[in-house]
Amino acid sequence: MKCPRCSSVLQSVEYDGQTVEVCPDCKGEWLAAGELQKIAEHHDEVFTPKEIASLDAVNKEIFTAEKDDHDELNCPACQNVQMEHFNYADTSGIILHKCTECDGIWMDKDELKKIEELVDGWKAGLNEDAAKYGPVLQKIDVEEQKELDRDVSISRFGFVNKVLRRFCE
């Protein structure tokens, strides 16, 4: 496989239990479908609070670059299929390229590390967020369940009504 950025031959490397393809020149990384999720969920390296905090400056830089990022890359696996841009986790500011055919993901140099730092930051704040937003989320869950129960009840009423009409005819 060749790098979509510089056409160098990608090399297979073991990364957190996954085999990823890395460009020896530009250091970009190709992950097959599903590998990014596995790496983000189970990565071995733990980042320091300082590294995680550094994401704010990185995100500002990436958000600024996002509007200028119009490069069109072809999938290294499918070759002539143009990849689409997407913002990792919708709001992270980390812009990746995804193949619409094979679902593989191209990441430029250090973007995988940035994603792992981001996930570590989310994990670090999980208990605080759960304590802060847990009661509100529980209330929303109860309200949604009530509405679902009401809808099912209305649906059953219509069914019972039809059955009764059938017997009365």
Side-chain angles (χ1 to χ4, degrees):
M1 241 186 301
K2 289 189 175 184
C3 174
R5 286 250 179 248
C6 65
S7 298
S8 295
V9 176
L10 299 178
Q11 299 174 347
S12 296
V13 175
E14 188 74 19
Y15 191 98
D16 279 351
Q18 301 298 311
T19 301
V20 300
E21 307 300 319
V22 178
C23 178
D25 294 329
C26 72
K27 306 301 182 212
E29 298 162 314
W30 172 254
L31 282 71
E35 289 179 331
L36 177 57
Q37 181 177 357
K38 290 175 186 173
I39 289 171
E41 289 175 351
H42 303 289
H43 69 92
D44 295 331
E45 189 173 356
V46 176
F47 296 94
T48 66
K50 183 178 179 182
E51 288 173 317
I52 293 169
S54 71
L55 278 177
D56 288 337
V58 170
N59 283 342
K60 286 177 187 170
E61 178 184 321
I62 291 172
F63 275 127
T64 304
E66 179 181 357
K67 65 181 181 211
D68 300 326
D69 187 7
H70 299 292
D71 59 342
E72 305 301 335
L73 300 178
N74 286 337
C75 173
C78 301
Q79 296 178 351
N80 292 327
V81 176
Q82 193 171 359
M83 294 186 285
E84 294 181 348
H85 300 93
F86 75 99
N87 190 340
Y88 178 77
D90 294 324
T91 60
S92 70
I94 301 171
I95 308 303
L96 306 177
H97 297 80
K98 184 173 185 174
C99 177
T100 57
E101 294 290 318
C102 71
D103 291 330
I105 296 175
W106 176 258
M107 291 179 273
D108 290 322
K109 181 181 179 187
D110 294 331
E111 287 181 329
L112 182 55
K113 182 179 177 185
K114 291 173 188 173
I115 288 171
E116 289 179 318
E117 290 172 349
L118 182 70
V119 171
D120 274 357
W122 290 337
K123 287 178 183 175
L126 188 59
N127 288 337
E128 183 180 324
D129 287 346
K132 185 175 181 179
Y133 300 110
V136 173
L137 293 173
Q138 180 67 27
K139 184 177 178 180
I140 291 169
D141 191 37
V142 167
E143 292 299 319
E144 285 178 350
Q145 188 60 48
K146 283 181 186 177
E147 189 164 322
L148 180 62
D149 291 344
R150 183 186 63 81
D151 291 345
V152 169
S153 175
I154 290 170
S155 173
R156 271 193 240 134
F157 176 75
F159 173 74
V160 170
N161 209 5
K162 280 185 180 181
V163 170
L164 289 174
R165 278 192 204 142
R166 188 85 150 131
F167 283 120
C168 292
E169 291 176 353

